[in-house]
Amino acid sequence: MTRAQIVGDLVIATGPNVNGPVIPAALAAVAPGHLRFDGDGLIDASDLDRFAIDTMGEKHLPVMADDEWPVIDCSIDDALIRDGETWRVKTADDALAAAKADAVRRAIARADALTAPVLAAYPEAERAGWDKREAEARAIVAASDAGGDVAAAIAGTLIVKAMADAGDWTETETIAKAHAIIDKAEGFAAISAAVEGMRERAVAAIEASADEAALAATLQTLDADALALAGQFGLV
């Protein structure tokens, strides 16, 4: 014979060796998740349309429930969603909203994946100084282009001067390195701008999706755009 292990009114396990009441033959075909204990015995809750909902979203017989649990109209199989201090039946709009949130996370992950190969080539500490190093490089190039005091421009920098001192660069080499720094910064800026544009377009399309079919089409477009960008910038 099969028994039901009960906590409150919920059946948490069934089998011949669990502690609890015997499941009547009339209820043998009922899914364990549909069984409830009403204080006297097991019942089939499949056709009930009103339940008390605990803090974890489990459905209980109102007669067996904590007084603080909200009682709502729902079926045993209805998916529920938290709504402030209570619960309600999850609707198609709720499912679409959850799918959209997941799609936005996917769009962000796609954007991160595109820039990851570039970022992975540099230590985090070095990346933290990119903006300053670019600004220093531009100051040096500006001085050079204007026929100004390049030595003073170099001396006024922190990162580039340290690199020049460590590499024993001449002034000409330092100017060339400054140009290289700017070229690299502009290259990464182009990648970043393209990836940001892709992400923003994807997020806007995700938010505008009227149903899950439109959302699926948007995600396919996102994947295609990501592959195209990866090819354009040699990130594959």
Side-chain angles (χ1 to χ4, degrees):
M1 63 183 65
T2 302
R3 294 179 177 274
Q5 184 177 352
I6 296 168
V7 174
D9 65 333
L10 300 179
V11 173
I12 63 169
T14 61
N17 299 317
V18 303
N19 294 321
V22 173
I23 299 176
L27 299 178
V30 178
H34 284 206
L35 294 173
R36 292 294 185 272
F37 182 72
D38 67 0
D40 295 319
L42 293 169
I43 66 168
D44 181 1
S46 299
D47 294 329
L48 299 183
D49 58 8
R50 193 165 175 78
F51 291 91
I53 314 301
D54 67 19
T55 56
M56 300 300 293
E58 291 282 1
K59 302 181 182 76
H60 300 265
L61 301 176
V63 69
M64 299 291 290
D66 188 303
D67 290 340
E68 295 182 358
W69 294 345
V71 177
I72 68 171
D73 294 330
C74 64
S75 76
I76 192 75
D77 290 320
D78 281 336
L80 303 181
I81 188 169
R82 189 61 117 152
D83 189 359
E85 295 300 316
T86 188
W87 295 81
R88 61 176 173 80
V89 175
K90 191 174 184 178
T91 66
D93 286 343
D94 295 319
L96 181 60
K100 285 183 177 182
D102 184 66
V104 168
R105 287 190 290 270
R106 179 170 169 177
I108 293 171
R110 260 304 200 178
D112 286 341
L114 281 172
T115 54
V118 179
L119 297 175
Y122 304 94
E124 184 176 350
E126 182 177 341
R127 298 201 304 266
W130 277 1
D131 288 346
K132 181 172 179 57
R133 181 167 56 177
E134 180 188 353
E136 291 180 353
R138 290 190 181 281
I140 292 168
V141 169
S144 174
D145 289 347
D149 191 342
V150 174
I154 295 171
T157 67
L158 178 64
I159 297 175
V160 175
K161 183 177 185 302
M163 294 168 65
D165 289 344
D168 197 23
W169 298 341
T170 64
E171 183 175 292
T172 299
E173 288 173 328
T174 303
I175 294 170
K177 294 289 186 180
H179 278 288
I181 289 169
I182 294 170
D183 289 344
K184 185 178 291 185
E186 290 178 345
F188 184 70
I191 294 172
S192 296
V195 170
E196 182 177 356
M198 179 199 74
R199 177 185 57 76
E200 289 183 347
R201 288 191 302 274
V203 170
I206 288 167
E207 292 176 347
S209 296
D211 52 40
E212 295 203 32
L215 188 58
T218 295
L219 290 175
Q220 288 182 338
T221 299
L222 168 64
D223 289 341
D225 287 350
L227 287 174
L229 277 181
Q232 178 183 344
F233 290 102
L235 301 177
V236 290

